[in-house]
Amino acid sequence: MTYPSALIAIDREDEPGSQLLAARCRAFLAMGAMDLHLVHVRTPLPRSYLAELPDNWETNDRSEVEGWLRDFAKRHFLDENVIDTHAPSGSIASEVIRLANELRVKAIFATAHRLDLGRLLLGSNIHAIARDARCDVVVVRE
């Protein structure tokens, strides 16, 4: 099955998972054209930290992450299909679902990390995304 559009949720801190995700996206692209949106959800800083940072810190941080996403697309040969990059700040699951709904993509691609006790107790972002998304969710595993 191919999708006309997809949101690719990339974790900058998980290079092996991101490489695997890119490889799977290329495999889907080999089956047919797909418009890609790349997203990395940034961790919000506490207000007390933000008060100490320059006024343009948020804008600069978002721009830096969006640039990293564009570079990621080039390094992994996805750039011809990338429509846009996104770097919202907030809850990972909430922001990915919000963006997928806003963009009306047909699928979300994300990696699943290995389960450990902490993830079992706290829940996982991929579980929340798969449960709450209105579109298909493609979970990529090692």
Side-chain angles (χ1 to χ4, degrees):
M1 173 178 208
T2 61
Y3 298 99
S5 59
L7 178 64
I8 314 303
I10 300 170
D11 181 354
R12 283 180 68 180
E13 306 302 318
D14 179 19
E15 185 62 30
S18 296
Q19 289 178 7
L20 179 63
L21 187 58
R24 296 289 164 80
C25 288
R26 285 193 306 274
F28 269 85
L29 287 169
M31 293 187 281
M34 182 168 50
D35 292 337
L36 303 177
H37 291 268
L38 306 183
V39 62
H40 170 78
V41 179
R42 298 173 299 120
T43 304
L45 293 176
R47 289 182 189 216
S48 59
Y49 287 21
L50 290 173
E52 300 299 321
L53 295 172
D55 291 339
N56 61 349
W57 182 86
E58 175 73 19
T59 302
N60 290 344
D61 186 52
R62 178 181 292 118
S63 294
E64 189 272 325
V65 172
E66 289 172 344
W68 182 89
L69 288 167
R70 285 189 294 277
D71 290 343
F72 175 89
K74 286 178 187 171
R75 283 192 321 271
H76 295 284
F77 309 103
L78 301 172
D79 52 322
E80 290 184 16
N81 296 84
V82 172
I83 301 300
D84 206 354
T85 58
H86 309 272
S89 175
S91 158
I92 294 170
S94 296
E95 288 300 315
V96 168
I97 291 167
R98 179 195 62 75
L99 195 54
N101 291 340
E102 181 180 303
L103 297 170
R104 297 182 178 184
V105 296
K106 300 302 179 190
I108 298 168
F109 285 66
T111 56
H113 301 284
R114 293 190 190 278
L115 287 177
D116 59 23
L117 185 57
R119 290 187 194 279
L120 289 173
L121 293 174
L122 298 174
S124 73
N125 290 308
I126 195 66
H127 176 76
I129 292 168
R131 181 190 64 225
D132 297 336
R134 294 182 191 160
C135 60
D136 289 354
V137 177
V138 177
V139 179
V140 175
R141 299 180 187 278
E142 292 179 39

